[in-house]
Amino acid sequence: MQDEIDSPQHHVDSAGTYVAVLVTLLFLTILTTAVAYVDLGYFSTVIALGIACTKMLLVALFFMHIRHSTKLTKLVVVGGLLWLAILLLLTLTDFATRTWIGVPGR
Amino acid sequence: MGNIQLFPVQGSTLAPEVDHLLYFFLAVSAFFTLLIFCAIFFLAIRYRRRAANELPEAGHTGYTLEILWSVIPFGITMVMFTWGASVFFKAARPPADAIPIYVVGKQWMWKLEHMEGRREINELHIPVGKPVRLTMTSEDVIHSFFVPAFRTKQDVVPGRYSTVWFQATKPGKYHLFCAEYCGTRHSGMIGWIYAMEPQDYENWLSGGAAQGSLAENGKKLFQDLACSNCHKEDNTGRCPALPGVFGSTVHLTGGATVKADEAYIRESILNPQAKIVAGYEPVMPTFQGLVTEDQVLQLIEYVRSIGAKPAPGSAPNSPASAEKPATPGAAPAKR
Amino acid sequence: MQLTAEREHYLNASYGLKSWLLTKDHKRIGLLYLFTITLFFFIGGAFATLIRLELLTPQGDLVSDDVYNRLFTMHAIAMIFFFMIPSIPAVLGNFFLPIMIGARDLAFPRINLLSWYLLVAGGAFALFAMIAGGVDTGWTFYTPYSTTYANGWVIATALGIFIAGFSSILTGLNFIVTVHRMRAPGMTWFRMPLFVWANYATSLIQILGTPVLAVTIVLLFVERVFHLGIFDPARGGDPVLFQHLFWFYSHPAVYIMVLPGMGVISEVISTFSRKPVFGYAFVAFSSVAIAVLGFLVWGHHLFVSTQSAFAGLVFSFLSYFVAIPSAIKVFNWTATLYKGSISFETPMLYAFGFIGLFTIGGLTGLFLAALGIDIHVTDTYFVVAHFHYVMVGGTIMAFLAGMHFWWPKITGRMYPEGWAKLSALIVFVGFNLTFFPQFILGYMGMPRRYHAYPPEFQVLNVLSTAGASVLAIGYLMPMVYFTWSLKYGKVAGANPWGATGLEWKTASPPPVHNFDETPIVTHDAYDYSTVHGEEIQVG
Amino acid sequence: MADHSHTETLDLRVQFDTAEQQKDCSTLGMWIFLITEVMFFGGMFAAYTIYRQFYPEVFAIASTSLNAKIGAFNTCVLLLSSFTMVMAVRAGQLGKQKAIVGWLILTLIFGGAFLGVKGIEWHEKFVEHHIPGQAEFHLEGLPQSEQGHAQIFFSLYFSMTGLHALHMVVGAGMLIWLLLEARKGTFSAKYYTPIDVGGLYWHFVDIIWIFLFPLLYLIDRHLKV
Ligand code: HEA
Ligand code: HEA
Ligand code: CUA
Ligand SMILES: [Cu+2]
């Protein structure tokens, strides 16, 4: 017995789709590079990472066929990102709060 | 060896608190351990297999029991957490009037310096009944300052300062251990704490003050290292005057502020460019490699001694009290 | 189910060294693992023996301080990375997980074999390091000691652990895919034996945690070899960051070590009470809950490390959440006994031992998770006692329970019951004598990793050493009688315990592809009405 | 269910019942492996985040010493290789043998170009003495006391790009193997799982770079143009 296999990957995307995705990706690369020279303060980082996330989504959804994959695969991806978030956020609970009680080393 | 001792002496104000917490944990643990042991014992005997082919009814699982034995332990653990945290916070925050002592750990010895200038190695004399606050750093690897009788310990990390404090309650001689593994002679990095009546302590202090007080040594260094060439008392020239700096809130170029604590002064000496005082040029050279950790501590003590200085332990703006959570979120002294 | 000697099974299907070294059969690979980890257990045990002998007297008289530091480091590395982490999953899990869900093999048999070779390769590096002079960093490799000051074979050992880590990752990956995709018809998630649930949860930790250890080792490596300065305090790096990354893996790793053991205990308790495990679904979910929550608590190893007090608070708080699923398991096992039909074969004795000792070990974990107590007892023998209670008193007991439980299935022979019971008793007594005194030592303030100690700690240390020698005997006995039983043991039937799992529905030892016919599952796990009346004839 | 005495074929190994099940297992297995890779790089991302927060100005200046234009160019090369890879997978799905080989070769070429450019960039660092741990290390525009922090930036730079490059090399090895198999005619519309799974890996390595590029080259660049 297996979990639902809603027959993945029998779906063949057209070459045009891939070309469109590629062009978008290249455009975003140039965009993020250009924007980096503009001082948007705090937003510079947000935009750089936002564009990177968009590019990641494009690659994952189209090139890696997440669009057509099983629920389990999607769950695996989301789970992985969640764990990355745990690693980053809980590590930061230390490094971001080091001075809160104002005693060195506490 | 004849007399077996099974419990450590209570030597500090913290010790009874930690011990009470321990008693609570022991009681809870004893209860659950006995509960489980007895239950297994009696059930196993009561329901032992009597016939080879016996087949017991498969019972039903009720949610009530499951909820019961999730919620009750959870409640207990929350008490454990809260109580444990409250003891910890007492151990984490030194009182304002604590006597400062400086500690440098290195493979494999403890170097301790009193404000008044007495230096000790692997021994620390402290007065009974007065809080003592240690500011600690390491010259090489991580060590840990551990006094079982005081029920407290704190790692000593290179490149950073850490703090531990205690108030001895009984005169006596207590073990000082290094509790973080630090290499070959880790088990030899031990010493003694001598808790003395305040009067004896004063005598002891004055007994060997020949080396000059910490601040005096710092002052001398301040001259020798030519700090005084730039930092003039009268605030002339390109440098900020240092009197009154310690414990104050310093405004930096870029708009941030920082509280001038040990870590900040240390950084100003070793890494002056990290935080530039507003209105000044970043011309101060680094003294990284020119001064040892001990000397940094002496300089800090000197800067502290010329800081705002009301009667010790009273006024709210005394240097030590200013170290309390003054400006949360102020540019952190990360290292 | 014929039992003639000529019947073909996985052991006699082919012969020769090559047929083992190139096998893709998960059962044979399980046995390959068994030999490997046994070797490392005895290596680690030999180091432990030397540690205990040294600590017999307060002076450091048996070995030098440098040697002592190498001893406890290599003791822990052998025991943790090359014995305990692969122990139950890679031996018993490998052997039984596919059978228990009615599969012919794991999803990726070649990768399974590869992961054994990786463990061997990693082990070879570690062994080389041990023979060439050892390492003295402690198994935690804290920087900057390990990057700059230690002069042992840090890199060889770290590389060995890195490679063994891949072995662990691949095993976990294999198990997860197998459980998701290879279950027999009718084997729904809630019909899976709890041992499978436990291994599934373990696999989650293996794939999510181990890579972080791997990268931590890589960063250690580049800092030591290429002088990159990621943790170097001299350049403004933070050694505490290393500790965060290390414990991000190594705390969840303690659940890699204990969860499969809990799975074994569920099987054993059920079989020898002839009752389904009480609160099956809760026990199943608690495994997953432990795996998930286990990732949120690592900072409880850093309470005095200069981690911020606020982070300490968060991690202490979260630590208590893991205790709840563990409590659920302990209570449910106990409740399973109620109105059961309980018999006292060796696996059951070990299971009782597990529950008792794990309870003590777990409860003392709660002491450590309390900030106020931990500042006193961290880095003392209290911690040493805590983790030996959960690992030696817990996991090793469970491993032995599982070995005895499934021995007839693996080899087709029974072990000698009398000897086995005796050794279980010896292990239990020896264990408590070894490690209980260490709780007291720890609270008295004896720091860990001490080669010499003040004389007032001696009495308790003598007790501990005495216990360790009893324990050693208890561990050597199964070696002897298991080997003996291979030739002289009573021939076992397909289902000597009257147990329910699919593994008992196939012959002992199982055929090459596990089942003569793919089983179709129609009952819940632990439905004893399906075996009742069959050969229930327990000695 | 199917009896298991059938002889093993590439698209149906003994342990599986159907080819569908086998393909699904391989894909799932690769995704899980990619998750372990996320966590592997995650450790370095954590270190990066913390140090960037510690020493923002130093990191800004150190970022500026990298050539963003070359970085952007290289990103484009890598994205192109991802595109050719997905085309190879598509050719596999359609069972077009020749096309598989062609697209794989293109992928290899772009991958190689990326590594080549990376090599040039690394070489520059050597020339400029931006190698942490070397006595001559010196990053222009920073006082002596901040050089240590700059070393941390470059330590991260080299570990992150180094490990990424290592993954590329492994990926290239995989491509070569796929290429050889494809030329033997192993793949067809029925059995192209290895290309599919290999593609997942290749795209993943691409995604890592998508993040490394802004993190190392771009963020806070405006602070010092
Ligand atoms: C198999 C291994 C294993 C397991 C399962 C555990 C389980 C737990 N551990 Fe342990 N631990 C280690 C192995 C393990 N540990 C190791 C190896 C170290 C030291 C590493 C080193 O430094 O070298 C360590 C160190 C360690 C520390 C750090 C100590 C220090 O260095 O200062 C802490 C602190 O919180 C801790 C806590 C816990 C907790 C809360 C649990 C919990 O999961 C326990 C949960 C179980 C129970 C609670 C018992 C069952 C429940 C009941 C009977 C019901 C009653 C319950 C309640 C009232 C709640 N452990
Ligand atoms: C799974 C893990 C595991 C296991 C099974 C064990 C098993 C044992 N451990 Fe282990 N131990 C650790 C994990 C483990 N330990 C870890 C992680 C540390 C921390 C290390 C560090 O600080 O970095 C540690 C540290 C540690 C210390 C503290 C050292 C110190 O801090 O200074 C001690 C001291 O008593 C000890 C004792 C024992 C004993 C007596 C056993 C016994 O259970 C072993 C019994 C087994 C045998 C005895 C084998 C039988 C074989 C023989 C008898 C052959 C003998 C042959 C010759 C002597 C030639 N261990
Ligand atoms: Cu210093 Cu241990
Ligand atoms: Cu832990």
Side-chain angles (χ1 to χ4, degrees):
Chain A
M1 222 286 310
Q2 306 149 26
D3 293 334
E4 35 79 48
I5 300 179
D6 37 34
S7 76
Q9 254 116 81
H10 281 316
H11 195 104
V12 184
D13 281 320
S14 73
T17 316
Y18 292 144
V19 174
V21 172
L22 173 69
V23 171
T24 320
L25 286 169
L26 295 179
F27 169 73
L28 286 175
T29 306
I30 294 162
L31 180 72
T32 188
T33 315
V35 164
Y37 290 90
V38 186
D39 187 351
L40 299 171
Y42 177 71
F43 275 97
S44 285
T45 313
V46 177
I47 289 184
L49 290 180
I51 293 183
C53 288
T54 317
K55 286 161 76 180
M56 169 185 77
L57 275 178
L58 285 174
V59 173
L61 286 176
F62 291 90
F63 289 178
M64 299 171 92
H65 309 295
I66 291 272
R67 276 193 315 155
H68 308 307
S69 43
T70 59
K71 281 204 203 88
L72 181 61
T73 310
K74 289 176 188 155
L75 189 73
V76 168
V77 175
V78 173
L81 294 179
L82 195 71
W83 251 255
L84 183 62
I86 292 177
L87 170 62
L88 296 176
L89 290 180
L90 275 180
T91 313
L92 280 176
T93 55
D94 174 11
F95 291 92
T97 62
R98 285 250 174 114
T99 49
W100 277 18
I101 69 165
V103 177
R106 295 288 195 181
Chain B
M1 259 155 287
N3 53 335
I4 310 178
Q5 205 194 335
L6 294 179
F7 206 77
V9 256
Q10 292 184 335
S12 73
T13 48
L14 188 64
E17 304 219 18
V18 174
D19 289 346
H20 288 152
L21 187 56
L22 175 86
Y23 299 145
F24 169 65
F25 274 81
L26 282 177
V28 173
S29 303
F31 172 77
F32 278 103
T33 310
L34 284 177
L35 182 78
I36 302 285
F37 273 55
C38 296
I40 291 182
F41 191 76
F42 287 114
L43 292 175
I45 302 288
R46 167 67 183 75
Y47 298 106
R48 67 189 176 278
R49 185 167 301 166
R50 288 154 209 264
N53 269 0
E54 157 180 282
L55 179 70
E57 288 275 312
H60 290 285
T61 312
Y63 285 90
T64 336
L65 271 176
E66 302 287 348
I67 290 172
L68 205 67
W69 59 48
S70 314
V71 169
I72 292 179
F74 184 72
I76 298 175
T77 58
M78 285 304 103
V79 178
M80 292 174 162
F81 163 71
T82 321
W83 191 343
S86 73
V87 172
F88 176 72
F89 270 80
K90 266 177 218 147
R93 288 196 232 188
D97 58 346
I99 302 170
I101 292 176
Y102 292 94
V103 179
V104 176
K106 62 171 292 206
Q107 283 176 332
W108 290 278
M109 62 199 272
W110 295 105
K111 297 192 281 184
L112 303 105
E113 291 188 50
H114 295 258
M115 264 228 295
E116 293 75 6
R118 276 210 73 157
R119 297 195 204 178
E120 308 184 64
I121 290 197
N122 291 345
E123 286 189 352
L124 174 64
H125 292 75
I126 52 164
V128 160
K130 295 212 174 120
V132 175
R133 168 198 212 265
L134 310 190
T135 304
M136 310 186 287
T137 191
S138 162
E139 281 185 10
D140 36 46
V141 301
I142 304 176
H143 306 275
S144 192
F145 193 94
F146 177 31
V147 187
F150 296 166
R151 307 286 189 279
T152 192
K153 81 165 68 61
Q154 174 63 41
D155 279 8
V156 179
V157 182
R160 314 224 334 237
Y161 285 119
S162 57
T163 312
V164 69
W165 79 275
F166 37 74
Q167 175 170 343
T169 50
K170 273 196 239 172
K173 183 180 170 196
Y174 306 116
H175 279 297
L176 159 63
F177 292 127
C178 173
E180 185 62 78
Y181 176 67
C182 53
T184 313
R185 301 259 306 116
H186 162 61
S187 59
M189 193 166 161
I190 55 178
W192 294 102
I193 309 275
Y194 295 93
M196 315 162 92
E197 293 297 352
Q199 196 47 52
D200 300 344
Y201 176 70
E202 291 305 326
N203 292 341
W204 174 86
L205 258 190
S206 52
Q211 301 125 312
S213 81
L214 207 54
E216 281 162 25
N217 287 337
K219 182 169 187 177
K220 196 161 162 300
L221 272 173
F222 201 74
Q223 310 290 339
D224 295 349
L225 293 167
C227 316
S228 50
N229 290 355
C230 293
H231 293 282
K232 304 228 165 65
E233 298 273 318
D234 52 3
N235 209 358
T236 52
R238 307 167 303 168
C239 311
L242 294 184
V245 165
F246 195 95
S248 68
T249 303
V250 179
H251 294 270
L252 303 176
T253 24
T257 57
V258 62
K259 193 167 58 64
D261 58 4
E262 288 95 339
Y264 169 73
I265 306 293
R266 177 176 196 275
E267 194 180 36
S268 296
I269 299 168
L270 298 181
N271 185 12
Q273 259 73 17
K275 301 197 177 65
I276 306 296
V277 183
Y280 292 92
E281 289 299 310
V283 291
M284 172 162 164
T286 172
F287 287 83
Q288 182 102 51
L290 295 177
V291 288
T292 63
E293 289 290 354
D294 313 25
Q295 290 175 325
V296 175
L297 287 172
Q298 291 169 0
L299 284 168
I300 292 177
E301 192 44 48
Y302 169 67
V303 176
R304 182 209 287 274
S305 72
I306 58 176
K309 196 151 199 185
S314 55
N317 64 337
S318 78
S321 73
E323 282 153 41
K324 276 203 299 201
T327 42
K334 268 110 183 185
R335 2 180 344 233
Chain C
M1 262 171 255
Q2 76 272 46
L3 279 172
T4 51
E6 285 76 31
R7 187 182 65 84
E8 188 190 85
H9 52 72
Y10 80 104
L11 289 170
N12 66 8
S14 54
Y15 290 99
L17 197 60
K18 215 178 128 199
S19 78
W20 281 85
L21 293 182
L22 295 181
T23 182
K24 285 181 282 160
D25 185 335
H26 65 103
K27 299 183 283 306
R28 286 194 169 196
I29 296 173
L31 292 188
L32 291 176
Y33 269 112
L34 180 61
F35 295 125
T36 319
I37 64 156
T38 309
L39 175 71
F40 277 99
F41 176 69
F42 281 94
I43 293 174
F47 288 136
T49 313
L50 292 173
I51 293 176
R52 281 315 328 162
L53 280 177
E54 166 63 62
L55 295 178
L56 197 57
T57 56
Q59 310 80 18
D61 35 19
L62 180 66
V63 295
S64 72
D65 40 15
D66 194 36
V67 171
Y68 180 82
N69 297 341
R70 283 157 210 260
L71 285 179
F72 70 70
T73 304
M74 297 183 299
H75 161 66
I77 287 171
M79 285 296 199
I80 298 241
F81 294 110
F82 296 100
F83 165 66
M84 187 144 282
I85 286 182
S87 64
I88 299 184
V91 177
L92 298 173
N94 226 325
F95 199 109
F96 289 106
L97 183 133
I99 309 188
M100 287 168 112
I101 59 171
R104 286 188 287 278
D105 204 324
L106 287 169
F108 309 115
R110 284 153 219 268
I111 291 185
N112 195 19
L113 181 64
L114 171 69
S115 63
W116 177 70
Y117 274 105
L118 287 174
L119 182 74
V120 171
F125 272 100
L127 266 181
F128 162 77
M130 288 174 190
I131 293 164
V135 246
D136 70 341
T137 56
W139 80 284
T140 48
F141 289 99
Y142 277 10
T143 56
Y145 185 70
S146 61
T147 50
T148 323
Y149 294 84
N151 52 15
W153 292 84
V154 180
I155 288 309
T157 314
L159 224 58
I161 294 171
F162 180 83
I163 298 171
F166 274 93
S167 163
S168 184
I169 289 176
L170 292 179
T171 305
L173 188 154
N174 222 333
F175 282 7
I176 292 184
V177 175
T178 305
V179 170
H180 272 283
R181 292 287 186 246
M182 310 281 286
R183 280 171 282 129
M187 179 57 83
T188 59
W189 280 87
F190 289 98
R191 283 180 182 164
M192 288 196 320
L194 290 166
F195 181 69
V196 177
W197 273 99
N199 274 288
Y200 179 78
T202 309
S203 305
L204 290 178
I205 309 178
Q206 285 175 310
I207 59 156
L208 290 165
T210 320
V212 178
L213 177 72
V215 73
T216 313
I217 292 177
V218 170
L219 295 181
L220 179 82
F221 177 93
V222 295
E223 183 154 343
R224 198 174 158 91
V225 177
F226 301 122
H227 308 292
L228 302 195
I230 290 165
F231 307 115
D232 181 4
R235 287 180 260 185
D238 189 340
V240 180
L241 174 62
F242 173 88
Q243 301 176 18
H244 276 285
L245 294 177
F246 178 83
W247 289 111
F248 179 87
Y249 166 75
S250 292
H251 180 80
V254 309
Y255 299 115
I256 298 182
M257 300 184 234
V258 86
L259 275 173
M262 293 170 154
V264 173
I265 298 307
S266 296
E267 300 298 317
V268 169
I269 292 275
S270 166
T271 300
F272 295 95
S273 323
R274 286 214 186 129
K275 270 189 67 199
V277 172
F278 189 82
Y280 166 92
F282 284 87
V283 179
F285 276 128
S286 64
S287 289
V288 181
I290 290 176
V292 171
L293 294 171
F295 277 97
L296 309 180
V297 309
W298 78 80
H300 66 207
H301 296 269
L302 280 70
F303 286 157
V304 303
S305 69
T306 69
Q307 167 183 257
S308 87
F310 176 73
L313 212 61
V314 171
F315 282 119
S316 168
F317 179 67
L318 291 172
S319 292
Y320 285 109
F321 284 74
V322 222
I324 305 310
S326 308
I328 289 179
K329 279 185 195 277
V330 170
F331 290 130
N332 278 305
W333 289 324
T334 313
T336 306
L337 302 177
Y338 179 67
K339 289 199 174 167
S341 163
I342 294 155
S343 68
F344 298 93
E345 273 79 23
T346 313
M348 190 63 157
L349 296 187
Y350 276 115
F352 288 153
F354 174 96
I355 302 179
L357 300 180
F358 174 76
T359 300
I360 298 179
L363 286 167
T364 52
L366 302 180
F367 290 51
L368 297 170
L371 289 153
I373 295 188
D374 192 63
I375 48 172
H376 174 50
V377 293
T378 182
D379 278 319
T380 67
Y381 266 79
F382 193 93
V383 179
V384 174
H386 155 68
F387 65 71
H388 283 93
Y389 259 82
V390 270
M391 300 199 297
V392 182
T395 306
I396 293 192
M397 290 264 172
F399 181 61
L400 288 172
M403 282 307 294
H404 287 86
F405 181 54
W406 281 306
W407 188 253
K409 181 56 62 183
I410 298 175
T411 63
R413 302 267 183 180
M414 300 299 291
Y415 57 85
E417 192 64 50
W419 285 104
K421 280 187 174 147
L422 180 65
S423 89
L425 190 73
I426 294 179
V427 167
F428 186 81
V429 172
F431 173 81
N432 283 295
L433 188 57
T434 312
F435 293 107
F436 197 81
Q438 296 186 356
F439 281 124
I440 305 171
L441 274 175
Y443 202 78
M444 300 243 315
M446 176 165 166
R448 60 191 282 205
R449 299 168 168 179
Y450 261 33
H451 159 247
Y453 55 87
E456 65 261 33
F457 297 137
Q458 188 177 11
V459 177
L460 290 165
N461 269 298
V462 170
L463 284 182
S464 180
T465 301
S469 35
V470 178
L471 191 54
I473 296 171
Y475 285 141
L476 284 171
M477 280 172 63
M479 279 299 287
V480 178
Y481 63 72
F482 273 147
T483 318
W484 175 88
S485 79
L486 285 179
K487 199 155 161 53
Y488 304 104
K490 203 165 68 152
V491 173
N495 190 0
W497 313 122
T500 56
L502 284 181
E503 79 269 32
W504 304 108
K505 300 254 182 332
T506 189
S508 305
V512 177
H513 288 299
N514 299 345
F515 301 98
D516 295 328
E517 227 169 274
T518 304
I520 295 176
V521 182
T522 48
H523 288 80
D524 283 353
Y526 314 116
D527 188 342
Y528 285 88
S529 62
T530 58
V531 278
H532 190 60
E534 279 182 48
E535 75 249 65
I536 293 183
Q537 22 103 313
V538 182
Chain D
M1 280 271 148
D3 80 321
H4 49 84
S5 51
H6 64 72
T7 40
E8 194 166 75
T9 60
L10 277 180
D11 58 343
L12 188 55
R13 298 199 181 270
V14 267
Q15 69 271 26
F16 297 111
D17 292 328
T18 61
E20 188 70 16
Q21 184 191 21
Q22 173 173 342
K23 179 165 177 5
D24 200 47
C25 280
S26 304
T27 317
L28 181 60
M30 181 45 97
W31 272 108
I32 292 174
F33 181 72
L34 296 185
I35 291 312
T36 71
E37 294 278 25
V38 170
M39 296 310 289
F40 183 86
F41 281 95
M44 281 182 290
F45 285 131
Y48 171 90
T49 315
I50 283 151
Y51 287 128
R52 177 131 222 156
Q53 182 213 358
F54 270 25
Y55 311 118
E57 293 88 9
V58 178
F59 270 47
I61 292 171
S63 293
T64 324
S65 80
L66 304 177
N67 189 331
K69 291 184 184 96
I70 294 192
F73 169 76
N74 226 4
T75 311
C76 292
V77 171
L78 200 58
L79 289 170
L80 272 170
S81 84
S82 247
F83 169 73
T84 53
M85 186 72 223
V86 80
M87 290 306 284
V89 175
R90 187 167 178 278
Q93 287 173 326
L94 301 173
K96 294 188 189 155
Q97 307 269 356
K98 283 239 177 64
I100 299 180
V101 176
W103 287 116
L104 283 177
I105 291 179
L106 278 180
T107 313
L108 254 179
I109 292 176
F110 284 128
F114 177 90
L115 284 173
V117 174
K118 197 79 246 162
I120 295 172
E121 286 189 88
W122 274 37
H123 178 74
E124 258 172 31
K125 298 293 130 204
F126 274 90
V127 175
E128 294 166 348
H129 297 303
H130 289 171
I131 306 296
Q134 282 189 347
E136 314 84 77
F137 179 94
H138 185 78
L139 181 64
E140 304 68 28
L142 276 182
Q144 196 51 41
S145 58
E146 302 270 5
Q147 293 295 337
H149 307 166
Q151 292 210 15
I152 290 189
F153 176 86
F154 283 102
S155 298
L156 285 166
Y157 170 79
F158 280 106
S159 350
M160 291 170 116
T161 57
L163 283 167
H164 177 260
L166 197 68
H167 278 78
M168 296 276 298
V169 171
V170 172
M174 174 198 77
L175 287 178
I176 292 175
W177 176 78
L178 284 176
L179 201 59
L180 295 178
E181 290 292 315
R183 290 191 47 184
K184 276 194 273 172
T186 314
F187 305 122
S188 63
K190 256 182 78 189
Y191 178 67
Y192 62 93
T193 316
I195 314 181
D196 198 27
V197 166
L200 289 179
Y201 178 82
W202 191 260
H203 298 309
F204 171 80
V205 178
D206 193 5
I207 289 183
I208 292 293
W209 182 259
I210 287 179
F211 281 95
L212 290 186
F213 173 56
L215 290 181
L216 295 172
Y217 290 75
L218 298 183
I219 292 182
D220 286 348
R221 180 167 275 271
H222 60 268
L223 287 181
K224 184 181 179 273
V225 193

